[in-house]
Amino acid sequence: MSKLSIVVPVYYNSDTLEMLYDDMKEKILGKLGDYEIVFVDDGSGDNSWEIMNKIAERDKNVVCTRLSRNFGEHSAILAGLSVCTGDCAVTKQADLQEDSTLILELYEKWKEGNKVVLAIRAERDEGAVKKFFAGMYYWLVRKTINKDMPQGGCDCYLLDRQAIEVIQRMDEKNSSLTLQVMWIGFKSAKVYFHRKDRTVGKSRWTFAKKYKLVVDSMMSFSYFPIRAISLIGGLVALASFIGIIGAIYEKLTVGTPIAGYASLMCVILFSTGLMMITLGILGEYLWRALDAARSRPPFIIDEVRKND
């Protein structure tokens, strides 16, 4: 009999964990057969660790994992994948925005022979601003990184044991785990679902984390930033050359005096700004190369509690 692992990254989710487990118990756990739930405490400052251990007392199939500090959701998922023992593993958010029955649909697709199953958002009950920026991110990914990125995006997915081992061997930091999952290939399928709005708890998905995800996605999977600064540099140089030729021609034919300070300062400041942007982009690549060369682990597990 196959075994399914459910990996749940936890970060300040003390108010939703018991509701999440009760929802899964009511809807899916009795239909799965052999399963395990791997909770990963990603350095939460609340009592999430205590609550997940209380859940483990109710269910011998619950595994509690605690990281030494906050490493981020993607690292927490990687930690859960390294601990899980199932023939396949599905990621599950702790914020109650995805219906638990989605896991059954993903699991059925895996039984059909798919090694990667993506959960695609067909609809989402969120504000217009969130929808707009999410749509912009996925549009950018489709245009510059992966044309197969679904329009609604995907954060949840099921991975076969072989796919899990490949993801672990990649050992990438400062990257997008979802894009890694899509990059590895294998036979895959898609399941569409309706994402609900969050009604319990407060989201910790801050603007800084969203911005980092955009930068990490671009730097890890696309040469677009490098090509873009080369193109901009070439266009600026061409425009400057045309401007110089035009100024000299007008001086020789019409006698128009070449004005100095204001126009010169505008050109200098504009060029300096472009150079700073260029250095910033190059610095992002160099920093990632340095971080990879240091070979620091993407996560550190402090404690794992199982019901043996």
Side-chain angles (χ1 to χ4, degrees), residues 183-226:
W183 179 86
I184 61 176
F186 293 124
K187 183 180 179 181
S188 62
K190 298 176 181 178
V191 173
Y192 293 86
F193 73 100
H194 188 131
R195 179 181 171 89
K196 305 172 186 176
D197 196 6
R198 183 163 187 163
T199 57
V200 181
K202 178 183 177 182
S203 174
R204 302 281 173 168
W205 188 232
T206 63
F207 175 79
K209 293 179 180 179
K210 295 176 183 178
Y211 176 76
K212 185 178 186 303
L213 175 63
V214 174
V215 176
D216 287 344
S217 301
M218 295 296 296
M219 299 297 171
S220 299
F221 291 93
S222 175
Y223 52 75
F224 176 77
I226 293 292

Side-chain angles (χ1 to χ4, degrees), residues 57-109:
E57 294 174 0
R58 298 166 53 190
D59 190 337
K60 64 182 180 61
N61 296 314
V62 172
V63 179
C64 300
T65 306
R66 178 161 60 181
L67 304 186
S68 61
R69 64 172 179 82
N70 176 243
F71 286 90
E73 180 181 307
H74 291 184
S75 295
I77 293 175
L78 286 174
L81 293 176
S82 72
V83 170
C84 73
T85 58
D87 299 292
C88 60
V90 60
T91 62
K92 178 80 170 89
Q93 301 295 318
D95 53 18
L96 305 176
Q97 291 185 262
E98 294 92 20
D99 196 294
S100 296
T101 55
L102 177 64
I103 294 177
L104 293 178
E105 299 180 52
L106 297 173
Y107 196 30
E108 289 301 317
K109 288 293 183 179

Side-chain angles (χ1 to χ4, degrees), residues 56-195:
E57 294 174 0
R58 298 166 53 190
D59 190 337
K60 64 182 180 61
N61 296 314
V62 172
V63 179
C64 300
T65 306
R66 178 161 60 181
L67 304 186
S68 61
R69 64 172 179 82
N70 176 243
F71 286 90
E73 180 181 307
H74 291 184
S75 295
I77 293 175
L78 286 174
L81 293 176
S82 72
V83 170
C84 73
T85 58
D87 299 292
C88 60
V90 60
T91 62
K92 178 80 170 89
Q93 301 295 318
D95 53 18
L96 305 176
Q97 291 185 262
E98 294 92 20
D99 196 294
S100 296
T101 55
L102 177 64
I103 294 177
L104 293 178
E105 299 180 52
L106 297 173
Y107 196 30
E108 289 301 317
K109 288 293 183 179
W110 174 77
K111 290 179 180 178
E112 294 174 5
N114 298 289
K115 294 185 177 181
V116 175
V117 187
L118 303 176
I120 312 299
R121 301 189 196 96
E123 298 179 56
R124 52 195 305 164
D125 296 335
E126 293 175 319
V129 176
K130 284 186 178 180
K131 289 182 180 179
F132 173 77
F133 284 107
M136 286 292 294
Y137 169 71
Y138 293 120
W139 176 84
L140 185 64
V141 169
R142 285 195 302 275
K143 294 299 182 181
T144 62
I145 300 174
N146 189 333
K147 62 181 177 60
D148 296 324
M149 171 61 75
Q151 185 172 355
C154 58
D155 290 330
C156 299
Y157 33 79
L158 181 145
L159 301 176
D160 181 79
R161 172 54 57 182
Q162 184 179 0
I164 293 173
E165 293 173 354
V166 171
I167 290 292
Q168 290 177 316
R169 287 201 301 270
M170 289 174 69
D171 192 28
E172 292 188 13
K173 296 180 285 294
N174 303 302
S175 182
S176 167
L177 187 56
T178 302
L179 288 174
Q180 289 182 38
V181 169
M182 298 184 67
W183 179 86
I184 61 176
F186 293 124
K187 183 180 179 181
S188 62
K190 298 176 181 178
V191 173
Y192 293 86
F193 73 100
H194 188 131
R195 179 181 171 89

